[in-house]
């Protein structure tokens, strides 16, 4: 499973300009696999899970339906956390040149494939 998830992360990194790091984790922050350079993947997974949880709670509170993603824009780039079905998450880091529109477009298929991979295990 780890190899299949890693292949998806590497493919996404290769498809979208500006993606620097990516990881997949469970919604409780347990790292499944990561394609990261200088980021500590376990810390990234835990923080992404917290971000996803807050986003879900906010979406539920205001009645906007199921959460798709949480986007955080920082001075030097973006942190995007995608819900992968009910049990997982994909977190993507991007530099200032991240093509966020392309990331959202490309990530839909990646999230679907990751959901199928995680569901098998």
């Amino acid at each position: 499973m780890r190899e299949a998830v890693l292949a998806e992360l590497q493919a996404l990194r290769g498809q979208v300009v500006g993606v620097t790091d990516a990881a997949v984790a469970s919604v409780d922050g347990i790292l499944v696999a990561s394609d990261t350079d200088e980021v500590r993947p376990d810390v990234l997974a835990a923080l992404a899970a917290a971000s996803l949880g807050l986003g879900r709670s906010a979406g539920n509170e205001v009645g906007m339906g199921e959460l798709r993603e949480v986007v955080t824009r920082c001075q030097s780039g973006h942190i995007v956390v995608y819900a992968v079905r009910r049990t997982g998450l994909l977190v993507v880091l991007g530099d200032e040149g991240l093509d966020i529109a392309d990331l959202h477009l490309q990530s839909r298929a990646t999230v679907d494939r990751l959901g199928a991979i995680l569901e098998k295990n």
Side-chain angles (χ1 to χ4, degrees):
M1 169 182 69
R2 185 183 178 289
E3 294 79 22
V5 170
L6 189 55
E8 289 292 337
L9 296 178
Q10 291 168 341
L12 184 62
R13 192 176 197 177
Q15 291 171 335
V16 181
V17 172
V19 171
T20 60
D21 302 270
V24 171
S26 63
V27 292
D28 57 358
I30 304 299
L31 182 67
V32 174
S34 66
D35 179 26
T36 60
D37 290 331
E38 296 183 23
V39 176
R40 293 179 296 168
D42 340 355
V43 174
L44 179 61
L47 293 172
S51 177
L52 185 76
L54 287 172
R56 276 197 170 130
S57 294
N60 288 337
E61 183 63 31
V62 298
M64 291 192 157
E66 191 169 338
L67 179 74
R68 292 184 184 168
E69 75 257 350
V70 174
V71 179
T72 305
R73 185 169 182 209
C74 303
Q75 183 177 2
S76 299
H78 296 80
I79 305 162
V80 185
V81 182
Y82 294 96
V84 178
R85 300 195 179 167
R86 294 281 220 183
T87 60
L89 64 86
L90 164 64
V91 57
V92 179
L93 304 183
D95 59 24
E96 294 169 332
L98 176 66
D99 186 340
I100 194 94
D102 192 38
L103 175 63
H104 289 324
L105 183 66
Q106 298 296 331
S107 67
R108 288 182 187 133
T110 301
V111 165
D112 287 343
R113 289 189 298 269
L114 287 170
I117 293 167
L118 295 177
E119 197 170 79
K120 288 180 185 177
N121 294 296

